[in-house]
Amino acid sequence: MANTIPKATYEQLETLLALQIDPERIVTQEAKRLAYGTDASFYRLVPQIVLRLKSLDEVIYAIQSCRTLGVHFTFRAAGTSLSAKLFRIPYSSH
């Protein structure tokens, strides 16, 4: 599945997220993103941005920021893999 969201949108998202989340916990470097997109399964889904959130307020802010820009997001935590065991929450205009 090809990514249809423009790079500029992800740059906007990163800027918006950095208003409330420590930029050191916003991962955008390619090598680090690749590591987050790899597990013991056969799947590799490299994220555009990885957030290491520390509070419910940060989670809510991240969700609202993604919704504002129409960016889909996926929750991943300890014990989840890339083999269809995570949540991907798309937003539509409906």
Side-chain angles (χ1 to χ4, degrees):
M1 182 173 167
N3 184 4
T4 58
I5 297 173
K7 182 178 178 182
T9 302
Y10 288 108
E11 291 168 353
Q12 285 180 292
L13 179 59
E14 182 182 357
T15 300
L16 186 59
L17 292 168
L19 295 175
Q20 296 290 323
I21 300 167
D22 181 353
E24 290 189 14
R25 292 188 286 113
I26 301 172
V27 179
T28 58
Q29 300 86 354
E30 186 173 357
K32 290 182 180 181
R33 291 186 296 111
L34 179 63
Y36 278 98
T38 305
D39 65 6
S41 72
F42 294 108
Y43 301 98
R44 176 169 291 159
L45 302 171
V46 181
Q48 296 298 312
I49 297 175
V50 174
L51 302 175
R52 295 174 26 225
L53 304 174
K54 288 191 172 185
S55 70
L56 178 58
D57 288 338
E58 287 184 349
V59 172
I60 292 168
Y61 182 76
I63 292 170
Q64 290 172 336
S65 297
C66 287
R67 184 172 187 158
T68 296
L69 295 174
V71 174
H72 301 185
F73 61 91
T74 301
F75 287 98
R76 186 167 179 211
T80 61
S81 71
L82 298 174
S83 58
K85 295 180 186 170
L86 44 86
F87 300 97
R88 182 167 190 255
I89 303 175
Y91 285 110
S92 71
S93 58
H94 305 312

